[in-house]
Short mmCIF file of all heavy atoms in Angstrom, two decimals:
data_model
loop_
_atom_site.label_atom_id
_atom_site.label_comp_id
_atom_site.label_asym_id
_atom_site.label_seq_id
_atom_site.Cartn_x
_atom_site.Cartn_y
_atom_site.Cartn_z
N PHE A 19 37.68 43.31 -33.56
CA PHE A 19 37.13 42.07 -33.06
C PHE A 19 36.62 41.16 -34.12
O PHE A 19 36.82 39.90 -34.08
CB PHE A 19 35.91 42.50 -32.20
CG PHE A 19 35.10 41.29 -31.71
CD1 PHE A 19 35.63 40.53 -30.62
CD2 PHE A 19 33.85 40.95 -32.28
CE1 PHE A 19 34.91 39.43 -30.18
CE2 PHE A 19 33.24 39.83 -31.74
CZ PHE A 19 33.71 39.06 -30.73
N LEU A 20 35.99 41.69 -35.22
CA LEU A 20 35.58 40.86 -36.33
C LEU A 20 36.71 40.17 -37.07
O LEU A 20 36.63 39.00 -37.50
CB LEU A 20 34.76 41.74 -37.34
CG LEU A 20 33.28 42.12 -36.76
CD1 LEU A 20 32.68 43.10 -37.70
CD2 LEU A 20 32.38 40.97 -36.61
N ASN A 21 37.83 40.93 -37.18
CA ASN A 21 38.91 40.34 -37.90
C ASN A 21 39.53 39.26 -37.06
O ASN A 21 39.94 38.17 -37.54
CB ASN A 21 40.00 41.42 -38.17
CG ASN A 21 39.63 42.39 -39.35
OD1 ASN A 21 38.86 41.93 -40.20
ND2 ASN A 21 40.18 43.54 -39.31
N LEU A 22 39.58 39.43 -35.79
CA LEU A 22 40.20 38.41 -34.81
C LEU A 22 39.25 37.15 -34.89
O LEU A 22 39.78 35.99 -34.90
CB LEU A 22 40.31 38.95 -33.36
CG LEU A 22 41.52 39.95 -33.23
CD1 LEU A 22 41.39 40.48 -31.78
CD2 LEU A 22 42.79 39.32 -33.40
N SER A 23 37.99 37.38 -34.90
CA SER A 23 36.97 36.29 -34.91
C SER A 23 37.16 35.51 -36.17
O SER A 23 37.12 34.21 -36.16
CB SER A 23 35.53 36.79 -34.75
OG SER A 23 35.37 37.41 -33.52
N SER A 24 37.25 36.22 -37.34
CA SER A 24 37.31 35.55 -38.53
C SER A 24 38.64 34.73 -38.69
O SER A 24 38.66 33.58 -39.15
CB SER A 24 37.41 36.63 -39.73
OG SER A 24 37.64 35.95 -40.98
N ALA A 25 39.74 35.23 -38.12
CA ALA A 25 41.00 34.48 -38.10
C ALA A 25 40.94 33.30 -37.23
O ALA A 25 41.49 32.17 -37.54
CB ALA A 25 42.14 35.50 -37.63
N SER A 26 40.18 33.49 -36.02
CA SER A 26 39.95 32.30 -35.18
C SER A 26 39.23 31.12 -35.84
O SER A 26 39.54 29.99 -35.69
CB SER A 26 39.27 32.81 -33.88
OG SER A 26 38.98 31.71 -33.07
N VAL A 27 38.17 31.51 -36.59
CA VAL A 27 37.37 30.58 -37.28
C VAL A 27 38.17 29.85 -38.35
O VAL A 27 38.17 28.61 -38.48
CB VAL A 27 36.15 31.23 -38.00
CG1 VAL A 27 35.41 30.18 -38.90
CG2 VAL A 27 35.16 31.66 -36.85
N LYS A 28 39.00 30.62 -39.11
CA LYS A 28 39.83 29.99 -40.22
C LYS A 28 40.83 29.09 -39.45
O LYS A 28 41.08 28.02 -40.01
CB LYS A 28 40.54 31.12 -40.91
CG LYS A 28 39.58 31.86 -41.89
CD LYS A 28 40.40 32.96 -42.60
CE LYS A 28 39.49 33.70 -43.45
NZ LYS A 28 40.16 34.85 -44.21
N GLU A 29 41.43 29.43 -38.34
CA GLU A 29 42.42 28.56 -37.65
C GLU A 29 41.73 27.32 -37.11
O GLU A 29 42.21 26.19 -37.25
CB GLU A 29 42.96 29.38 -36.48
CG GLU A 29 44.03 28.53 -35.79
CD GLU A 29 44.66 29.41 -34.65
OE1 GLU A 29 44.33 30.50 -34.46
OE2 GLU A 29 45.49 28.78 -33.86
N ASP A 30 40.49 27.48 -36.70
CA ASP A 30 39.72 26.30 -36.16
C ASP A 30 39.51 25.30 -37.28
O ASP A 30 39.63 24.14 -37.11
CB ASP A 30 38.41 26.72 -35.52
CG ASP A 30 37.63 25.66 -34.91
OD1 ASP A 30 38.14 24.76 -34.24
OD2 ASP A 30 36.43 25.51 -35.24
N ILE A 31 39.00 25.76 -38.41
CA ILE A 31 38.75 24.89 -39.54
C ILE A 31 40.07 24.21 -40.08
O ILE A 31 40.10 23.10 -40.38
CB ILE A 31 38.14 25.69 -40.73
CG1 ILE A 31 36.62 26.17 -40.38
CG2 ILE A 31 38.07 24.92 -42.01
CD1 ILE A 31 36.00 27.01 -41.31
N GLY A 32 41.07 25.05 -40.01
CA GLY A 32 42.37 24.50 -40.43
C GLY A 32 42.90 23.37 -39.62
O GLY A 32 43.66 22.43 -40.05
N ASN A 33 42.52 23.33 -38.30
CA ASN A 33 42.94 22.24 -37.40
C ASN A 33 42.01 21.05 -37.47
O ASN A 33 42.39 19.92 -36.97
CB ASN A 33 42.87 22.74 -35.89
CG ASN A 33 43.97 23.78 -35.71
OD1 ASN A 33 45.06 23.74 -36.35
ND2 ASN A 33 43.75 24.72 -34.83
N ARG A 34 40.87 21.13 -38.15
CA ARG A 34 40.03 19.98 -38.29
C ARG A 34 40.47 19.14 -39.46
O ARG A 34 41.11 19.56 -40.44
CB ARG A 34 38.58 20.43 -38.56
CG ARG A 34 38.01 21.29 -37.53
CD ARG A 34 36.56 21.62 -37.80
NE ARG A 34 36.03 22.79 -37.08
CZ ARG A 34 34.83 23.34 -37.29
NH1 ARG A 34 33.97 22.82 -38.27
NH2 ARG A 34 34.46 24.39 -36.63
N LYS A 35 39.98 17.89 -39.51
CA LYS A 35 40.27 16.99 -40.58
C LYS A 35 39.29 17.32 -41.71
O LYS A 35 38.12 17.42 -41.49
CB LYS A 35 40.06 15.48 -40.19
CG LYS A 35 40.99 15.00 -39.15
CD LYS A 35 42.48 14.97 -39.67
CE LYS A 35 43.50 14.46 -38.76
NZ LYS A 35 44.88 14.51 -39.29
N LYS A 36 39.87 17.50 -42.88
CA LYS A 36 39.02 17.90 -44.06
C LYS A 36 38.47 16.65 -44.69
O LYS A 36 39.32 15.79 -45.17
CB LYS A 36 39.84 18.65 -45.09
CG LYS A 36 40.18 20.00 -44.47
CD LYS A 36 40.94 20.89 -45.60
CE LYS A 36 42.39 20.37 -45.74
NZ LYS A 36 43.20 21.25 -46.67
N ILE A 37 37.15 16.44 -44.68
CA ILE A 37 36.52 15.31 -45.28
C ILE A 37 35.60 15.66 -46.38
O ILE A 37 34.72 16.60 -46.20
CB ILE A 37 35.74 14.54 -44.18
CG1 ILE A 37 36.66 14.07 -43.03
CG2 ILE A 37 35.10 13.26 -44.76
CD1 ILE A 37 35.97 13.31 -41.93
N VAL A 38 35.77 15.16 -47.55
CA VAL A 38 34.90 15.34 -48.70
C VAL A 38 34.00 14.17 -48.90
O VAL A 38 34.45 12.95 -48.92
CB VAL A 38 35.73 15.57 -49.97
CG1 VAL A 38 34.82 15.66 -51.22
CG2 VAL A 38 36.58 16.87 -49.87
N VAL A 39 32.72 14.40 -48.88
CA VAL A 39 31.72 13.33 -49.12
C VAL A 39 30.98 13.53 -50.43
O VAL A 39 31.04 14.66 -51.01
CB VAL A 39 30.69 13.29 -47.90
CG1 VAL A 39 31.43 13.08 -46.58
CG2 VAL A 39 29.81 14.57 -47.91
N THR A 40 30.31 12.53 -50.90
CA THR A 40 29.76 12.64 -52.21
C THR A 40 28.31 13.32 -52.24
O THR A 40 27.91 13.91 -53.20
CB THR A 40 29.63 11.26 -52.85
OG1 THR A 40 29.04 10.30 -51.96
CG2 THR A 40 31.04 10.77 -53.30
N PHE A 41 27.44 13.06 -51.20
CA PHE A 41 26.20 13.61 -51.31
C PHE A 41 25.70 13.96 -49.83
O PHE A 41 26.36 13.64 -48.87
CB PHE A 41 25.18 12.59 -51.98
CG PHE A 41 24.88 11.42 -51.27
CD1 PHE A 41 23.54 11.10 -51.04
CD2 PHE A 41 25.79 10.49 -50.85
CE1 PHE A 41 23.10 9.93 -50.37
CE2 PHE A 41 25.45 9.29 -50.18
CZ PHE A 41 24.05 9.04 -49.91
N SER A 42 24.54 14.51 -49.75
CA SER A 42 24.06 15.25 -48.49
C SER A 42 23.76 14.29 -47.36
O SER A 42 23.99 14.70 -46.13
CB SER A 42 22.81 16.03 -48.80
OG SER A 42 21.71 15.27 -49.35
N ILE A 43 23.36 13.00 -47.58
CA ILE A 43 23.10 12.11 -46.49
C ILE A 43 24.37 11.80 -45.82
O ILE A 43 24.51 11.80 -44.53
CB ILE A 43 22.36 10.86 -46.87
CG1 ILE A 43 20.96 11.19 -47.34
CG2 ILE A 43 22.34 9.78 -45.91
CD1 ILE A 43 20.11 10.07 -47.87
N LEU A 44 25.45 11.58 -46.53
CA LEU A 44 26.78 11.41 -46.05
C LEU A 44 27.28 12.66 -45.23
O LEU A 44 27.92 12.58 -44.30
CB LEU A 44 27.78 11.04 -47.10
CG LEU A 44 27.80 9.56 -47.46
CD1 LEU A 44 28.74 9.34 -48.66
CD2 LEU A 44 28.21 8.59 -46.31
N GLU A 45 27.01 13.85 -45.81
CA GLU A 45 27.42 15.06 -45.24
C GLU A 45 26.90 15.05 -43.80
O GLU A 45 27.53 15.49 -42.78
CB GLU A 45 26.88 16.27 -46.01
CG GLU A 45 27.18 17.59 -45.41
CD GLU A 45 26.29 18.65 -46.04
OE1 GLU A 45 25.52 18.43 -46.95
OE2 GLU A 45 26.38 19.81 -45.55
N ASP A 46 25.56 14.73 -43.64
CA ASP A 46 24.97 14.78 -42.30
C ASP A 46 25.61 13.78 -41.36
O ASP A 46 25.96 14.05 -40.20
CB ASP A 46 23.55 14.54 -42.39
CG ASP A 46 22.78 14.48 -41.07
OD1 ASP A 46 22.91 15.40 -40.25
OD2 ASP A 46 22.14 13.41 -40.80
N ILE A 47 25.74 12.52 -41.83
CA ILE A 47 26.23 11.44 -40.99
C ILE A 47 27.73 11.75 -40.58
O ILE A 47 28.01 11.56 -39.40
CB ILE A 47 26.07 10.09 -41.69
CG1 ILE A 47 24.59 9.78 -42.08
CG2 ILE A 47 26.72 9.02 -40.85
CD1 ILE A 47 23.76 9.75 -40.85
N VAL A 48 28.53 12.14 -41.51
CA VAL A 48 29.90 12.38 -41.19
C VAL A 48 30.04 13.62 -40.19
O VAL A 48 30.85 13.67 -39.27
CB VAL A 48 30.70 12.65 -42.43
CG1 VAL A 48 32.16 13.09 -42.14
CG2 VAL A 48 30.73 11.34 -43.29
N SER A 49 29.20 14.54 -40.42
CA SER A 49 29.17 15.76 -39.45
C SER A 49 28.79 15.32 -38.04
O SER A 49 29.26 15.83 -37.03
CB SER A 49 28.14 16.78 -39.96
OG SER A 49 28.60 17.36 -41.16
N VAL A 50 27.85 14.40 -37.91
CA VAL A 50 27.33 13.95 -36.60
C VAL A 50 28.53 13.17 -35.87
O VAL A 50 28.79 13.32 -34.73
CB VAL A 50 26.12 13.06 -36.66
CG1 VAL A 50 25.82 12.32 -35.38
CG2 VAL A 50 24.90 13.90 -37.11
N ILE A 51 29.16 12.17 -36.62
CA ILE A 51 30.15 11.35 -36.16
C ILE A 51 31.43 12.15 -35.75
O ILE A 51 32.09 12.08 -34.82
CB ILE A 51 30.47 10.14 -36.92
CG1 ILE A 51 29.09 9.31 -37.07
CG2 ILE A 51 31.54 9.24 -36.29
CD1 ILE A 51 28.46 8.82 -35.86
N GLY A 52 31.77 12.93 -36.79
CA GLY A 52 33.08 13.79 -36.63
C GLY A 52 32.94 14.94 -35.74
O GLY A 52 33.93 15.36 -35.16
#
């Protein structure tokens, strides 16, 4: 179950758009909007 869950999380992250921000305020705002 744990291995399947880990694989599911990795697959979910892989389907998301990868966004790199420069500092923590942007991290919060981009996470809210995205």
Side-chain angles (χ1 to χ4, degrees):
F19 175 76
L20 289 172
N21 286 336
L22 288 173
S23 297
S24 177
S26 176
V27 169
K28 287 179 181 177
E29 184 180 355
D30 180 49
I31 291 175
N33 290 332
R34 301 181 198 178
K35 294 297 181 182
K36 291 184 288 186
I37 302 179
V38 173
V39 303
T40 50
F41 72 123
S42 56
I43 292 174
L44 276 174
E45 176 194 359
D46 175 57
I47 299 301
V48 172
S49 297
V50 170
I51 302 301

